Amino acid sequence: MKQKIFSLLMVLAMLVAVEPFARAQSGAIGIFEEQTDVGVVKHKGTGSYNPKTQEYNLLGSGTNIWAKADGFHFVWRKMKGDFILRTNAAFIGKGVEDHRKIGFMVRTSLDSTSKQINAVVHGDGLTSLQFRKTDGGITEEKKSTVTHADVIQLERHGNKYIMSVARKGDLFTEDEVSDVDLGDDVYVGIFICSHNANVTEKAVFNNTRIVIPAPATLVPYKQYLGSNIEILDLATQNSTIVYQSTKSLQAPNWMLDGKNLLYNSDGLLYKFDLKTNTPTVFNTGSAKNNNNDHVLSFDGKSLTISSADQTGNSIGWIVPTTGGEPKRMTEIGPSYMHGWSPDGKYLVFCGARNNEYDVYRIPVAGGPEEKLTNTPGLDDGPEYSPDGKYIYFNSVRSGLMQVWRMKADGSEQTQLTNDDYNNWFPHISPDGKWIEYITFLKSEVAPGDHPFYKHVYLRVMPVEGGPSKVIAYLYGGQGTINTPSWSPDSKHLAFVSNTNLLFPVFPTATN
């Protein structure tokens, strides 16, 4: 009997010794600060970060994340306030247990019995929002109608947590709880649990982002969040951040050489070298009030820009891609330049005339502007197809903002998207096969507005028509893809996302 008591005491002592902080290793892992085996974990977990692909690989064990205590591997950082967590997560290999788990987690402490909430995908596909409201309390669960989710987002607003999940390509489905008080200072990170003490599992996490959103007090167009320039691989739908800045960076164009981008910031244009991840000021001469409507000609030799004149109105100009003094194209404004005809003879733009925004075209060689749309409400974002037959644009004429198309002379105006969202800025891939556009939520944005700092999707649809699919889930909006952002080979897209939290693991502005 004494021997059994002694053995039991030894086991308890071992549990106490390893339970609170059984760290697998210390030191930064990508955007995270530390990694830890939480609870009693038989096989030590590991997490690694690949700076080239910006992906995380986790290996971990652990009995479960459920009931009154947890055991799992956790890669985390400390945070306060509201945030948005997002990742694409997938198990590697067939696995052993149906309820092995991966996802995003927020915890009060690293104790196994801590209050916590997690957005989790199980090995059998079950996707749910799990939460423990008190230390040592029973874990509760809200099951999503989505199974086998690839994209996981967990958002905090005070004590309210919103889980948004999707299979890659689909729109988000949401579930939320509003009374989980974890305190302001929390541990935030990605995790893996094998659901079997004798087993280790592997998982990969891509597109992993921690976003600090705009505060309610932010004054639009006066105050700005930081910016990420991202490059999206269309084949894998994985995105890498190539540059960060505390400033507002907007509207990247991909130059014809495939080696550089153009974007605007603080009234100037910048040329961004994709090999060295460094920007330099692009010379636009006396045009020093440039906005995010700037477009390269199809031959790559010229750039049309939108820059305020002495009256403060946005005016269309042309400047060579070698830089120089711009040539004025529109006499009156506001005029926001959006596209060139493939033969270089015409520019198309959104112009405000008589308190009405419509699509116009104007000859590059000079001559009067021609109005192409005449319906009440905003018509914006015109852009030629690579074959020159059509002009694509977005219009609010049907109630919500939707993507439309017309022939180059303005005839046969046809609606292409028709859903319960607001869809802006259609861009046609150089190979003429795809239409990319940005989608705002109807619950967040009025049909005629495309503001900064919202939940948005980037979507593509076949140019001949057909269902759309999501290619990126992000926090952005104004400045994300106002301009054509396809790579010349149609395999990549450049875009801007926003956050108030920048990380040293990504290329960052030095000024």
Side-chain angles (χ1 to χ4, degrees):
M1 187 64 174
K2 289 181 180 179
Q3 181 62 39
K4 289 182 178 179
I5 293 173
F6 177 76
S7 298
L8 180 60
L9 289 173
M10 288 294 292
V11 171
L12 289 172
M14 290 174 65
L15 292 178
V16 170
V18 301
E19 209 287 320
F21 293 99
R23 289 187 177 156
Q25 67 183 67
S26 61
I29 306 98
I31 63 176
F32 301 101
E33 296 170 348
E34 297 277 357
Q35 56 178 307
T36 306
D37 279 331
V38 174
V40 180
V41 176
K42 185 175 181 180
H43 299 289
K44 182 178 178 180
T46 60
S48 62
Y49 173 70
N50 184 327
K52 183 177 180 180
T53 62
Q54 296 178 9
E55 69 181 18
Y56 299 82
N57 281 272
L58 269 60
L59 180 148
S61 184
T63 304
N64 205 357
I65 301 172
W66 192 246
K68 296 183 177 182
D70 306 321
F72 65 100
H73 190 67
F74 192 31
V75 177
W76 55 266
R77 67 177 296 115
K78 294 292 292 291
M79 294 192 67
K80 293 183 179 181
D82 294 340
F83 46 74
I84 304 167
L85 316 173
R86 189 186 314 107
T87 191
N88 289 30
F91 289 106
I92 299 173
K94 184 178 180 180
V96 175
E97 300 289 342
D98 284 346
H99 288 284
R100 57 185 176 151
K101 298 175 174 70
I102 52 175
F104 251 122
M105 182 179 292
V106 182
R107 300 181 71 86
T108 301
S109 77
L110 297 177
D111 187 272
S112 69
T113 61
S114 170
K115 293 186 290 183
Q116 55 100 339
I117 189 164
N118 62 87
V120 57
V121 178
H122 299 237
D124 65 355
L126 171 65
T127 304
S128 62
L129 186 61
Q130 298 182 170
F131 49 96
R132 183 183 297 122
K133 295 182 180 179
T134 60
D135 290 339
I138 294 295
T139 301
E140 302 174 61
E141 180 181 42
K142 270 194 170 184
K143 294 181 180 179
S144 174
T145 57
V146 176
T147 59
H148 298 281
D150 303 298
V151 189
I152 306 167
Q153 180 174 283
L154 184 59
E155 184 173 358
R156 176 162 94 164
H157 296 279
N159 292 338
K160 180 170 77 173
Y161 290 83
I162 303 169
M163 177 183 73
S164 303
V165 293
R167 293 182 183 177
K168 189 183 290 187
D170 293 343
L171 300 165
F172 274 141
T173 296
E174 290 186 0
D175 291 277
E176 69 176 63
V177 292
S178 58
D179 57 349
V180 179
D181 184 3
L182 304 182
D184 188 47
D185 196 1
V186 291
Y187 295 81
V188 167
I190 53 177
F191 68 87
I192 186 168
C193 173
S194 67
H195 197 72
N196 185 325
N198 297 312
V199 171
T200 57
E201 295 282 2
K202 295 179 181 180
V204 60
F205 295 76
N206 294 296
N207 299 328
T208 304
R209 306 287 184 264
I210 299 177
V211 175
I212 302 296
T217 56
L218 183 135
V219 180
Y221 299 94
K222 298 292 185 182
Q223 297 173 305
Y224 298 94
L225 300 188
S227 304
N228 303 318
I229 296 179
E230 303 198 36
I231 302 296
L232 176 72
D233 185 319
L234 269 294
T236 64
Q237 293 181 32
N238 292 336
S239 180
T240 55
I241 295 173
V242 296
Y243 192 63
Q244 292 190 316
S245 174
T246 56
K247 297 181 178 180
S248 179
L249 313 182
Q250 301 174 33
N253 300 117
W254 213 302
M255 300 190 77
L256 198 61
D257 62 9
K259 300 177 182 179
N260 296 277
L261 305 175
L262 280 173
Y263 67 84
N264 66 286
S265 182
D266 288 340
L268 299 177
L269 289 180
Y270 289 83
K271 187 176 181 179
F272 183 80
D273 188 317
L274 287 165
K275 184 176 181 179
T276 62
N277 292 327
T278 54
T280 54
V281 175
F282 179 83
N283 177 22
T284 55
S286 58
K288 303 294 186 183
N289 294 294
N290 300 294
N291 58 48
N292 58 28
D293 295 312
H294 40 81
V295 184
L296 291 153
S297 59
F298 276 83
D299 63 10
K301 296 179 180 180
S302 300
L303 177 71
T304 182
I305 61 176
S306 307
S307 187
D309 64 5
Q310 62 272 18
T311 69
N313 271 331
S314 178
I315 298 296
W317 311 77
I318 288 179
V319 64
T321 50
T322 53
E325 189 63 24
K327 173 186 176 183
R328 183 164 181 156
M329 293 304 302
T330 59
E331 291 302 317
I332 58 175
S335 298
Y336 302 100
M337 313 310 288
H338 280 277
W340 290 77
S341 61
D343 60 11
K345 294 182 178 180
Y346 287 95
L347 297 172
V348 284
F349 63 95
C350 172
R353 311 290 186 262
N354 301 315
N355 297 314
E356 193 71 45
Y357 283 88
D358 281 293
V359 173
Y360 293 80
R361 72 175 179 180
I362 191 168
V364 172
E369 62 188 32
E370 179 184 357
K371 188 177 180 181
L372 298 180
T373 61
N374 292 283
T375 57
L378 175 62
D379 296 309
D380 198 358
E383 182 178 314
Y384 281 90
S385 59
D387 60 12
K389 292 181 179 180
Y390 296 102
I391 296 171
Y392 291 79
F393 64 104
N394 50 274
S395 175
V396 77
R397 66 185 70 179
S398 63
L400 293 175
M401 187 63 75
Q402 299 294 334
V403 174
W404 288 69
R405 184 182 73 182
M406 58 184 164
K407 286 190 173 180
D409 62 2
S411 64
E412 297 185 18
Q413 297 184 15
T414 305
Q415 186 172 342
L416 300 182
T417 61
N418 185 18
D419 57 26
D420 207 30
Y421 296 86
N422 288 302
N423 301 312
W424 287 76
F425 300 130
H427 303 306
I428 315 305
S429 59
D431 62 12
K433 295 179 179 180
W434 297 97
I435 308 170
E436 175 212 15
Y437 59 95
I438 185 170
T439 293
F440 291 82
L441 307 185
K442 183 176 71 173
S443 59
E444 288 191 351
V445 174
D449 196 11
H450 56 290
F452 288 102
Y453 316 139
K454 299 295 179 182
H455 294 90
V456 296
Y457 302 105
L458 298 187
R459 294 201 276 175
V460 295
M461 64 182 293
V463 75
E464 68 273 10
S468 297
K469 65 177 181 179
V470 180
I471 53 172
Y473 308 76
L474 63 137
Y475 188 72
Q478 175 72 283
T480 291
I481 59 158
N482 291 53
T483 62
S485 55
W486 288 91
S487 63
D489 62 6
S490 300
K491 294 181 179 180
H492 297 83
L493 284 164
F495 66 90
V496 170
S497 61
N498 299 107
T499 178
N500 245 0
L501 182 65
L502 304 182
F503 296 101
V505 294
F506 304 131
T508 307
T510 56
N511 55 357

